[in-house]
Amino acid sequence: MNKIFKKLLNLFFKGLLVVLPLWFSGYIIFWGITKVDSIVDLGIPGAGVLIVLLGITIAGLFVTRFVTVPMEAWFDKTVDRIPVFKLLYSSIRDLMEAFVGEEKKFNEPVLVELHEGIKKIGFLTQRDLTALGIEGYVSVYFPFSYTFTGNIAIVEASRVTPIQANAAEVLKFVVSGGVSDL
């Protein structure tokens, strides 16, 4: 009985960790809107909502510009001084940004003919490899199923066919092992 009570108490506190921040955030926003509406009477229904949303956006801009960006720059400078860690960290960060960053890199799904009758889905990452002394080839990233890792192949451009589909859906299809719908 004691184990069950501890388990239930643990679940209760985990629930509080989810519910209380949501409730308090909602309550504070509602309170702010009603307060602004009672103080500033613009005669426009919903003006309080717009003012509160604008205030929250300005707060986000302030935090991003004066807190997040300087901290990120300091962290990046620190990481750049640690040779092996820098290589690992920057590679993993670039891979994660390619999947979920502001400029998603895997936005060109392609079909690559590996052998006659065998094709593989990948994502075009570089169209021009002349900097490597390789002409007529492209680089294609092949993600593995059920993970965010994969490998890159240098492929003859003539073997690559663009896939006319949403890149996110194609990525989901590949990562799911081909079981998700396109």
Side-chain angles (χ1 to χ4, degrees), residues 25-111:
S25 297
Y27 177 78
I28 289 170
I29 290 172
F30 176 78
W31 175 83
I33 290 169
T34 55
K35 228 12 159 181
V36 168
D37 272 341
S38 68
I39 294 171
V40 180
D41 186 19
L42 298 176
I44 302 170
V49 172
L50 292 175
I51 292 171
V52 168
L53 291 177
L54 182 64
I56 292 171
T57 304
I58 290 170
L61 174 68
F62 178 81
V63 167
T64 300
R65 187 157 194 117
F66 297 110
V67 178
T68 308
V69 171
M71 284 179 63
E72 195 174 280
W74 171 83
F75 182 76
D76 285 344
K77 265 191 351 194
T78 304
V79 166
D80 281 346
R81 294 181 185 153
I82 309 169
V84 174
F85 186 76
K86 172 188 172 184
L87 175 67
L88 291 172
Y89 173 77
S90 64
S91 298
I92 293 168
R93 184 189 66 210
D94 290 347
L95 178 65
M96 295 308 296
E97 283 180 0
F99 279 108
V100 295
E102 288 181 23
E103 295 181 35
K104 293 178 181 64
K105 303 292 185 200
F106 301 129
N107 55 4
E108 290 189 60
V110 294
L111 197 59

Coordinates of all heavy atoms in Angstrom, one line a residue, residues 25-111:
S25 N 0.2 30.8 -16.1 CA 0.4 31.6 -17.3 C -0.9 32.0 -17.9 O -1.0 33.2 -18.3 CB 1.2 30.7 -18.4 OG 2.4 30.4 -17.9
G26 N -1.9 31.1 -18.0 CA -3.2 31.5 -18.5 C -3.8 32.6 -17.7 O -4.4 33.6 -18.2
Y27 N -3.7 32.4 -16.3 CA -4.3 33.3 -15.4 C -3.7 34.7 -15.5 O -4.4 35.7 -15.5 CB -4.2 32.8 -14.0 CG -4.8 33.8 -13.0 CD1 -6.2 33.9 -12.8 CD2 -3.9 34.6 -12.2 CE1 -6.7 34.8 -11.9 CE2 -4.5 35.5 -11.3 CZ -5.8 35.6 -11.1 OH -6.3 36.5 -10.2
I28 N -2.4 34.7 -15.6 CA -1.7 36.0 -15.7 C -2.0 36.8 -17.0 O -2.2 38.0 -17.0 CB -0.1 35.8 -15.5 CG1 0.2 35.4 -14.1 CG2 0.7 37.1 -15.9 CD1 1.6 35.0 -13.8
I29 N -2.1 36.0 -18.1 CA -2.4 36.7 -19.3 C -3.9 37.2 -19.3 O -4.1 38.3 -19.7 CB -2.2 35.7 -20.5 CG1 -0.7 35.5 -20.7 CG2 -2.9 36.2 -21.8 CD1 -0.4 34.4 -21.7
F30 N -4.8 36.4 -18.7 CA -6.2 36.8 -18.6 C -6.3 38.0 -17.7 O -6.9 39.0 -18.0 CB -7.0 35.7 -18.0 CG -8.4 36.1 -17.8 CD1 -9.3 36.2 -18.8 CD2 -8.9 36.3 -16.5 CE1 -10.7 36.5 -18.6 CE2 -10.2 36.7 -16.2 CZ -11.1 36.8 -17.3
W31 N -5.5 38.0 -16.6 CA -5.5 39.1 -15.6 C -5.0 40.4 -16.3 O -5.5 41.5 -16.2 CB -4.7 38.8 -14.4 CG -4.5 39.9 -13.5 CD1 -5.4 40.3 -12.5 CD2 -3.4 40.8 -13.4 NE1 -4.9 41.4 -11.8 CE2 -3.7 41.7 -12.4 CE3 -2.2 40.9 -14.1 CZ2 -2.8 42.7 -12.0 CZ3 -1.3 42.0 -13.8 CH2 -1.6 42.8 -12.7
G32 N -3.9 40.2 -17.1 CA -3.3 41.3 -17.8 C -4.2 41.9 -18.8 O -4.3 43.2 -18.9
I33 N -4.9 41.1 -19.5 CA -5.9 41.6 -20.5 C -7.0 42.4 -19.9 O -7.3 43.5 -20.3 CB -6.4 40.4 -21.4 CG1 -5.3 39.9 -22.3 CG2 -7.6 40.8 -22.2 CD1 -5.6 38.6 -23.0
T34 N -7.6 41.8 -18.8 CA -8.7 42.5 -18.1 C -8.2 43.8 -17.5 O -8.9 44.8 -17.5 CB -9.4 41.6 -17.1 OG1 -8.4 41.1 -16.2 CG2 -10.1 40.4 -17.8
K35 N -7.0 43.8 -16.9 CA -6.4 45.0 -16.3 C -6.2 46.1 -17.4 O -6.6 47.2 -17.2 CB -5.1 44.6 -15.7 CG -4.8 45.1 -14.3 CD -5.8 45.6 -13.5 CE -5.4 45.4 -12.0 NZ -6.4 45.9 -11.1
V36 N -5.6 45.7 -18.5 CA -5.3 46.7 -19.6 C -6.7 47.2 -20.1 O -6.8 48.4 -20.4 CB -4.5 46.0 -20.7 CG1 -4.5 46.9 -21.9 CG2 -3.1 45.8 -20.2
D37 N -7.6 46.3 -20.3 CA -9.0 46.8 -20.8 C -9.6 47.7 -19.8 O -10.3 48.7 -20.3 CB -9.9 45.6 -21.0 CG -9.8 45.0 -22.4 OD1 -9.2 45.6 -23.3 OD2 -10.2 43.8 -22.6
S38 N -9.4 47.5 -18.5 CA -10.1 48.5 -17.6 C -9.3 49.8 -17.4 O -9.9 50.8 -17.2 CB -10.2 47.8 -16.2 OG -8.9 47.6 -15.6
I39 N -8.0 49.8 -17.7 CA -7.2 51.0 -17.6 C -7.3 51.8 -18.9 O -7.5 53.0 -18.9 CB -5.7 50.7 -17.3 CG1 -5.6 50.1 -15.9 CG2 -4.9 51.9 -17.4 CD1 -4.3 49.5 -15.5
V40 N -7.1 51.1 -20.0 CA -7.1 51.8 -21.3 C -8.4 51.5 -22.0 O -8.6 50.4 -22.5 CB -5.9 51.3 -22.2 CG1 -5.8 52.0 -23.5 CG2 -4.6 51.5 -21.4
D41 N -9.2 52.5 -22.1 CA -10.5 52.3 -22.8 C -10.4 52.9 -24.2 O -10.6 54.1 -24.3 CB -11.6 52.8 -22.0 CG -13.0 52.5 -22.7 OD1 -13.0 51.6 -23.5 OD2 -14.0 53.2 -22.3
L42 N -10.0 52.1 -25.2 CA -9.8 52.7 -26.5 C -11.1 52.6 -27.3 O -11.2 53.1 -28.5 CB -8.8 51.9 -27.3 CG -7.4 52.0 -26.7 CD1 -6.4 51.1 -27.5 CD2 -6.9 53.4 -26.7
G43 N -12.1 52.0 -26.7 CA -13.4 51.8 -27.4 C -13.3 50.7 -28.5 O -14.2 50.6 -29.3
I44 N -12.3 50.0 -28.5 CA -12.1 48.9 -29.5 C -12.2 47.6 -28.8 O -11.3 47.3 -27.9 CB -10.7 49.0 -30.2 CG1 -10.6 50.4 -30.9 CG2 -10.6 47.9 -31.2 CD1 -9.2 50.6 -31.4
P45 N -13.1 46.7 -29.1 CA -13.2 45.4 -28.4 C -11.9 44.6 -28.7 O -11.5 44.6 -29.8 CB -14.4 44.8 -29.1 CG -15.2 45.8 -29.8 CD -14.2 46.9 -30.1
G46 N -11.3 44.1 -27.7 CA -10.1 43.3 -27.8 C -8.8 44.0 -27.8 O -7.8 43.5 -28.1
A47 N -8.9 45.4 -27.6 CA -7.7 46.2 -27.6 C -6.7 45.7 -26.5 O -5.5 45.7 -26.7 CB -8.0 47.6 -27.4
G48 N -7.3 45.2 -25.4 CA -6.5 44.7 -24.3 C -5.7 43.5 -24.7 O -4.5 43.3 -24.4
V49 N -6.3 42.6 -25.5 CA -5.6 41.4 -26.0 C -4.4 41.8 -26.9 O -3.3 41.3 -26.7 CB -6.6 40.5 -26.8 CG1 -5.9 39.4 -27.5 CG2 -7.7 40.0 -25.9
L50 N -4.7 42.8 -27.8 CA -3.6 43.2 -28.7 C -2.5 43.9 -27.9 O -1.3 43.6 -28.2 CB -4.2 44.2 -29.7 CG -5.1 43.6 -30.7 CD1 -5.7 44.7 -31.6 CD2 -4.4 42.6 -31.6
I51 N -2.8 44.7 -26.9 CA -1.7 45.4 -26.1 C -0.9 44.4 -25.3 O 0.3 44.4 -25.3 CB -2.4 46.4 -25.2 CG1 -2.9 47.6 -26.0 CG2 -1.3 46.9 -24.2 CD1 -3.8 48.6 -25.3
V52 N -1.6 43.4 -24.7 CA -0.9 42.3 -23.9 C 0.0 41.5 -24.9 O 1.1 41.2 -24.6 CB -1.9 41.4 -23.1 CG1 -1.2 40.2 -22.6 CG2 -2.5 42.3 -22.0
L53 N -0.5 41.1 -26.0 CA 0.2 40.3 -27.0 C 1.5 41.1 -27.5 O 2.6 40.6 -27.6 CB -0.6 39.9 -28.2 CG -1.7 38.8 -27.9 CD1 -2.5 38.5 -29.1 CD2 -1.1 37.5 -27.3
L54 N 1.3 42.4 -27.7 CA 2.4 43.2 -28.2 C 3.4 43.3 -27.1 O 4.6 43.2 -27.3 CB 1.9 44.6 -28.5 CG 2.9 45.6 -29.0 CD1 3.5 45.1 -30.4 CD2 2.3 47.0 -29.2
G55 N 3.0 43.5 -25.8 CA 3.9 43.5 -24.7 C 4.7 42.3 -24.5 O 5.9 42.3 -24.3
I56 N 4.0 41.1 -24.7 CA 4.7 39.8 -24.5 C 5.8 39.7 -25.7 O 6.9 39.2 -25.5 CB 3.7 38.7 -24.5 CG1 2.9 38.7 -23.2 CG2 4.4 37.3 -24.7 CD1 1.7 37.7 -23.2
T57 N 5.4 40.1 -26.9 CA 6.3 40.1 -28.0 C 7.5 40.9 -27.8 O 8.7 40.6 -28.1 CB 5.6 40.4 -29.3 OG1 4.4 39.6 -29.5 CG2 6.5 40.3 -30.5
I58 N 7.3 42.1 -27.3 CA 8.4 43.1 -27.0 C 9.3 42.5 -25.9 O 10.6 42.5 -26.0 CB 7.9 44.4 -26.6 CG1 7.3 45.1 -27.8 CG2 9.0 45.3 -26.0 CD1 6.5 46.4 -27.5
A59 N 8.7 41.8 -24.9 CA 9.5 41.1 -23.9 C 10.4 40.0 -24.5 O 11.6 39.9 -24.2 CB 8.6 40.6 -22.8
G60 N 9.8 39.3 -25.4 CA 10.5 38.2 -26.1 C 11.7 38.8 -27.0 O 12.8 38.2 -27.0
L61 N 11.4 39.9 -27.6 CA 12.5 40.6 -28.4 C 13.6 41.0 -27.5 O 14.8 40.8 -27.8 CB 11.9 41.8 -29.1 CG 12.9 42.7 -29.9 CD1 13.4 41.9 -31.1 CD2 12.2 43.9 -30.4
F62 N 13.2 41.6 -26.4 CA 14.3 42.1 -25.4 C 15.1 41.0 -24.9 O 16.4 41.0 -24.9 CB 13.5 42.8 -24.2 CG 14.5 43.3 -23.2 CD1 15.2 44.5 -23.4 CD2 14.7 42.6 -22.0 CE1 16.1 44.9 -22.4 CE2 15.6 43.0 -21.1 CZ 16.3 44.2 -21.3
V63 N 14.5 39.9 -24.5 CA 15.2 38.7 -23.9 C 16.1 38.1 -25.0 O 17.3 37.8 -24.8 CB 14.3 37.6 -23.4 CG1 15.0 36.3 -23.1 CG2 13.6 38.2 -22.1
T64 N 15.6 38.0 -26.2 CA 16.4 37.4 -27.3 C 17.6 38.3 -27.6 O 18.7 37.8 -27.7 CB 15.5 37.3 -28.6 OG1 14.5 36.4 -28.3 CG2 16.3 36.7 -29.7
R65 N 17.4 39.6 -27.8 CA 18.4 40.5 -28.2 C 19.5 40.8 -27.1 O 20.7 40.8 -27.4 CB 17.8 41.8 -28.6 CG 18.8 42.8 -29.2 CD 18.1 43.7 -30.1 NE 19.0 44.4 -30.9 CZ 19.1 44.4 -32.2 NH1 18.2 43.7 -32.8 NH2 20.0 45.0 -32.9
F66 N 19.1 40.9 -25.8 CA 20.0 41.3 -24.8 C 20.4 40.2 -23.8 O 21.3 40.4 -23.0 CB 19.4 42.5 -24.0 CG 19.2 43.7 -24.9 CD1 17.9 44.1 -25.2 CD2 20.3 44.4 -25.4 CE1 17.7 45.2 -26.0 CE2 20.1 45.5 -26.2 CZ 18.8 45.9 -26.5
V67 N 19.8 39.0 -23.9 CA 20.1 37.9 -23.0 C 20.6 36.7 -23.8 O 21.7 36.2 -23.7 CB 19.0 37.6 -22.1 CG1 19.3 36.4 -21.2 CG2 18.6 38.8 -21.2
T68 N 19.7 36.2 -24.6 CA 19.9 34.9 -25.3 C 21.1 35.0 -26.3 O 22.0 34.2 -26.3 CB 18.7 34.4 -26.1 OG1 17.6 34.4 -25.2 CG2 18.8 33.1 -26.7
V69 N 21.1 36.0 -27.2 CA 22.1 36.1 -28.2 C 23.5 36.3 -27.6 O 24.5 35.6 -28.0 CB 21.8 37.2 -29.2 CG1 22.9 37.5 -30.2 CG2 20.5 36.8 -30.0
P70 N 23.7 37.2 -26.6 CA 25.0 37.4 -26.0 C 25.5 36.1 -25.3 O 26.6 35.8 -25.4 CB 24.8 38.5 -25.0 CG 23.7 39.3 -25.5 CD 22.8 38.3 -26.2
M71 N 24.5 35.4 -24.6 CA 24.9 34.2 -23.9 C 25.4 33.1 -25.0 O 26.3 32.4 -24.7 CB 23.8 33.6 -23.1 CG 23.6 34.4 -21.8 SD 22.2 33.8 -20.8 CE 22.8 32.2 -20.4
E72 N 24.6 33.0 -26.1 CA 25.0 32.0 -27.1 C 26.3 32.4 -27.7 O 27.1 31.5 -28.0 CB 23.9 32.1 -28.2 CG 23.9 30.9 -29.1 CD 22.7 30.9 -30.1 OE1 21.6 30.5 -29.6 OE2 22.9 31.4 -31.2
A73 N 26.6 33.7 -28.0 CA 27.9 34.1 -28.5 C 29.0 33.7 -27.6 O 30.1 33.2 -28.0 CB 27.9 35.6 -28.8
W74 N 28.8 34.0 -26.3 CA 29.8 33.7 -25.3 C 30.1 32.2 -25.2 O 31.2 31.7 -25.2 CB 29.4 34.1 -23.9 CG 30.3 33.7 -22.8 CD1 31.5 34.2 -22.4 CD2 30.1 32.5 -22.0 NE1 32.0 33.4 -21.4 CE2 31.2 32.4 -21.1 CE3 29.1 31.5 -21.9 CZ2 31.3 31.4 -20.2 CZ3 29.3 30.5 -21.0 CH2 30.4 30.4 -20.1
F75 N 29.0 31.4 -25.3 CA 29.1 29.9 -25.2 C 29.9 29.4 -26.5 O 30.8 28.6 -26.4 CB 27.8 29.2 -25.1 CG 27.8 27.7 -25.1 CD1 28.2 27.1 -23.9 CD2 27.5 27.0 -26.2 CE1 28.3 25.7 -23.8 CE2 27.6 25.6 -26.1 CZ 28.0 25.0 -24.9
D76 N 29.5 29.9 -27.6 CA 30.2 29.5 -28.9 C 31.7 29.8 -28.9 O 32.5 29.0 -29.3 CB 29.6 30.1 -30.1 CG 28.2 29.5 -30.4 OD1 27.9 28.4 -29.9 OD2 27.4 30.1 -31.2
K77 N 32.1 31.0 -28.3 CA 33.5 31.4 -28.2 C 34.2 30.5 -27.3 O 35.4 30.1 -27.5 CB 33.6 32.9 -27.7 CG 33.7 33.8 -28.8 CD 34.1 35.2 -28.6 CE 34.2 35.9 -27.3 NZ 34.3 37.3 -27.3
T78 N 33.6 30.1 -26.2 CA 34.2 29.2 -25.2 C 34.4 27.8 -25.8 O 35.4 27.2 -25.7 CB 33.3 29.1 -24.0 OG1 33.1 30.4 -23.4 CG2 34.0 28.2 -22.9
V79 N 33.4 27.3 -26.5 CA 33.5 26.0 -27.2 C 34.6 26.0 -28.2 O 35.3 25.0 -28.4 CB 32.1 25.6 -27.8 CG1 32.2 24.4 -28.7 CG2 31.1 25.2 -26.7
D80 N 34.7 27.1 -29.0 CA 35.7 27.1 -30.0 C 37.1 27.0 -29.5 O 38.1 26.7 -30.2 CB 35.6 28.5 -30.8 CG 34.5 28.5 -31.8 OD1 34.0 27.4 -32.1 OD2 34.2 29.6 -32.2
R81 N 37.3 27.1 -28.2 CA 38.7 27.0 -27.6 C 39.0 25.6 -27.2 O 40.1 25.3 -26.8 CB 38.8 27.9 -26.4 CG 38.7 29.3 -26.7 CD 38.8 30.2 -25.5 NE 38.6 31.6 -25.8 CZ 38.2 32.5 -25.0 NH1 37.9 32.2 -23.8 NH2 38.0 33.7 -25.4
I82 N 38.0 24.6 -27.3 CA 38.2 23.3 -26.8 C 38.3 22.4 -28.1 O 37.2 22.1 -28.6 CB 37.1 22.8 -25.9 CG1 37.0 23.8 -24.7 CG2 37.4 21.4 -25.3 CD1 35.7 23.6 -23.9
P83 N 39.4 22.0 -28.6 CA 39.6 21.4 -29.9 C 38.7 20.2 -30.2 O 37.9 20.2 -31.1 CB 41.0 20.9 -29.9 CG 41.7 21.8 -28.9 CD 40.7 22.1 -27.9
V84 N 38.7 19.1 -29.5 CA 37.9 17.9 -29.8 C 36.4 18.2 -29.6 O 35.6 17.8 -30.4 CB 38.4 16.7 -29.0 CG1 37.5 15.5 -29.2 CG2 39.8 16.4 -29.4
F85 N 36.1 18.8 -28.4 CA 34.7 19.1 -28.1 C 34.1 20.0 -29.2 O 33.0 19.9 -29.5 CB 34.7 19.8 -26.7 CG 33.2 20.0 -26.3 CD1 32.5 18.9 -25.8 CD2 32.7 21.3 -26.3 CE1 31.2 19.1 -25.4 CE2 31.4 21.5 -25.9 CZ 30.6 20.4 -25.4
K86 N 34.9 21.0 -29.7 CA 34.4 21.9 -30.7 C 34.0 21.2 -31.9 O 32.9 21.4 -32.5 CB 35.5 22.9 -31.1 CG 35.2 23.8 -32.3 CD 36.4 24.6 -32.7 CE 36.2 25.3 -34.0 NZ 37.3 26.0 -34.5
L87 N 34.8 20.2 -32.4 CA 34.4 19.4 -33.6 C 33.1 18.6 -33.3 O 32.2 18.7 -34.2 CB 35.6 18.4 -33.9 CG 35.3 17.5 -35.0 CD1 35.2 18.2 -36.3 CD2 36.4 16.4 -35.1
L88 N 33.0 17.9 -32.2 CA 31.8 17.2 -31.9 C 30.6 18.0 -31.8 O 29.5 17.8 -32.4 CB 32.0 16.3 -30.7 CG 33.0 15.2 -30.8 CD1 33.3 14.5 -29.4 CD2 32.5 14.1 -31.8
Y89 N 30.8 19.1 -31.0 CA 29.6 20.0 -30.7 C 29.1 20.7 -32.0 O 27.9 20.7 -32.2 CB 30.0 21.0 -29.7 CG 29.0 22.1 -29.5 CD1 27.9 21.8 -28.7 CD2 29.1 23.4 -30.0 CE1 26.9 22.8 -28.5 CE2 28.1 24.3 -29.9 CZ 27.0 24.0 -29.1 OH 26.1 25.0 -28.9
S90 N 30.0 21.2 -32.8 CA 29.6 21.9 -34.0 C 29.0 21.0 -35.0 O 28.0 21.3 -35.6 CB 30.8 22.7 -34.6 OG 31.8 21.8 -35.0
S91 N 29.5 19.7 -35.1 CA 28.9 18.8 -36.0 C 27.5 18.4 -35.6 O 26.5 18.4 -36.4 CB 29.7 17.5 -36.1 OG 31.0 17.8 -36.6
I92 N 27.3 18.1 -34.3 CA 26.0 17.8 -33.8 C 25.0 19.0 -33.9 O 23.9 18.8 -34.2 CB 26.1 17.2 -32.3 CG1 26.8 15.9 -32.3 CG2 24.7 17.1 -31.7 CD1 27.2 15.4 -30.9
R93 N 25.5 20.1 -33.5 CA 24.6 21.3 -33.6 C 24.2 21.6 -35.1 O 23.0 21.9 -35.3 CB 25.4 22.6 -33.1 CG 24.5 23.8 -33.1 CD 25.3 25.1 -32.8 NE 26.2 25.3 -33.9 CZ 27.4 25.9 -33.8 NH1 27.8 26.3 -32.7 NH2 28.2 26.0 -34.9
D94 N 25.1 21.5 -36.0 CA 24.8 21.7 -37.4 C 23.7 20.6 -37.9 O 22.8 21.0 -38.6 CB 26.0 21.6 -38.3 CG 26.9 22.8 -38.1 OD1 26.5 23.8 -37.5 OD2 28.1 22.7 -38.6
L95 N 23.9 19.4 -37.4 CA 22.9 18.3 -37.8 C 21.6 18.7 -37.2 O 20.5 18.6 -37.9 CB 23.4 17.0 -37.3 CG 22.5 15.8 -37.6 CD1 22.3 15.6 -39.1 CD2 22.9 14.5 -36.9
M96 N 21.5 19.1 -35.9 CA 20.2 19.4 -35.3 C 19.6 20.6 -36.0 O 18.4 20.6 -36.2 CB 20.4 19.6 -33.8 CG 20.8 18.4 -33.0 SD 19.8 16.9 -33.4 CE 18.3 17.4 -32.7
E97 N 20.4 21.6 -36.3 CA 19.8 22.8 -37.0 C 19.3 22.4 -38.4 O 18.4 23.0 -38.9 CB 20.9 23.9 -37.1 CG 21.1 24.6 -35.8 CD 22.2 25.7 -35.9 OE1 22.8 25.9 -37.0 OE2 22.4 26.4 -34.9
A98 N 20.0 21.5 -39.0 CA 19.5 21.0 -40.3 C 18.1 20.4 -40.2 O 17.3 20.6 -41.1 CB 20.5 20.0 -40.9
F99 N 17.8 19.7 -39.1 CA 16.5 19.1 -39.0 C 15.5 20.1 -38.4 O 14.4 20.1 -38.9 CB 16.6 17.9 -38.0 CG 17.1 16.7 -38.6 CD1 18.3 16.2 -38.3 CD2 16.3 16.0 -39.5 CE1 18.8 15.0 -38.9 CE2 16.8 14.8 -40.1 CZ 18.0 14.3 -39.8
V100 N 15.8 20.9 -37.4 CA 14.8 21.7 -36.8 C 15.2 23.2 -36.7 O 14.4 24.0 -36.1 CB 14.6 21.2 -35.3 CG1 14.0 19.8 -35.4 CG2 15.8 21.2 -34.5
G101 N 16.3 23.6 -37.2 CA 16.6 25.1 -37.2 C 15.8 25.9 -38.0 O 14.9 25.5 -38.8
E102 N 16.0 27.2 -38.0 CA 15.3 28.2 -38.8 C 15.5 28.0 -40.3 O 14.6 28.1 -41.1 CB 15.7 29.6 -38.4 CG 15.2 30.0 -37.0 CD 15.6 31.4 -36.7 OE1 15.8 32.2 -37.6 OE2 15.6 31.7 -35.5
E103 N 16.7 27.6 -40.7 CA 17.0 27.3 -42.1 C 17.2 25.8 -42.2 O 18.3 25.3 -42.2 CB 18.2 28.0 -42.5 CG 18.1 29.5 -42.5 CD 19.4 30.2 -43.0 OE1 20.1 29.6 -43.9 OE2 19.7 31.2 -42.5
K104 N 16.1 25.1 -42.3 CA 16.2 23.6 -42.5 C 16.9 23.3 -43.7 O 16.7 23.8 -44.8 CB 14.8 23.0 -42.5 CG 14.0 23.2 -41.2 CD 12.6 22.6 -41.3 CE 11.9 22.8 -40.0 NZ 11.6 24.1 -39.6
K105 N 17.9 22.4 -43.6 CA 18.8 22.0 -44.7 C 18.2 20.9 -45.5 O 18.6 20.7 -46.7 CB 20.2 21.7 -44.2 CG 20.8 22.7 -43.4 CD 21.2 23.9 -44.2 CE 21.9 24.9 -43.3 NZ 22.0 26.2 -43.8
F106 N 17.4 20.0 -44.9 CA 16.9 18.9 -45.6 C 15.6 19.2 -46.3 O 14.5 18.7 -45.9 CB 16.8 17.7 -44.7 CG 18.1 17.3 -44.1 CD1 18.2 17.1 -42.7 CD2 19.2 17.1 -44.9 CE1 19.4 16.8 -42.2 CE2 20.4 16.7 -44.3 CZ 20.5 16.6 -42.9
N107 N 15.6 20.1 -47.3 CA 14.4 20.6 -47.9 C 14.3 20.1 -49.4 O 13.4 20.5 -50.1 CB 14.2 22.1 -47.8 CG 15.5 22.8 -48.3 OD1 16.4 22.2 -48.9 ND2 15.5 24.1 -48.2
E108 N 15.3 19.3 -49.8 CA 15.2 18.8 -51.2 C 15.3 17.3 -51.2 O 16.4 16.7 -51.3 CB 16.4 19.4 -52.0 CG 16.3 20.9 -52.3 CD 17.3 21.4 -53.3 OE1 17.3 20.9 -54.4 OE2 18.1 22.2 -52.9
P109 N 14.2 16.6 -51.1 CA 14.2 15.2 -51.1 C 14.5 14.7 -52.5 O 14.1 15.3 -53.5 CB 12.8 14.8 -50.7 CG 11.9 16.0 -51.0 CD 12.8 17.2 -50.9
V110 N 15.3 13.6 -52.6 CA 15.7 13.1 -53.9 C 15.7 11.6 -53.8 O 15.7 11.0 -52.8 CB 17.1 13.5 -54.3 CG1 17.2 15.0 -54.6 CG2 18.2 13.1 -53.3
L111 N 15.6 11.0 -55.0 CA 15.6 9.5 -55.2 C 16.9 9.2 -55.9 O 17.2 9.8 -56.9 CB 14.4 9.1 -56.0 CG 14.0 7.6 -56.0 CD1 13.7 7.2 -54.6 CD2 12.8 7.4 -56.9

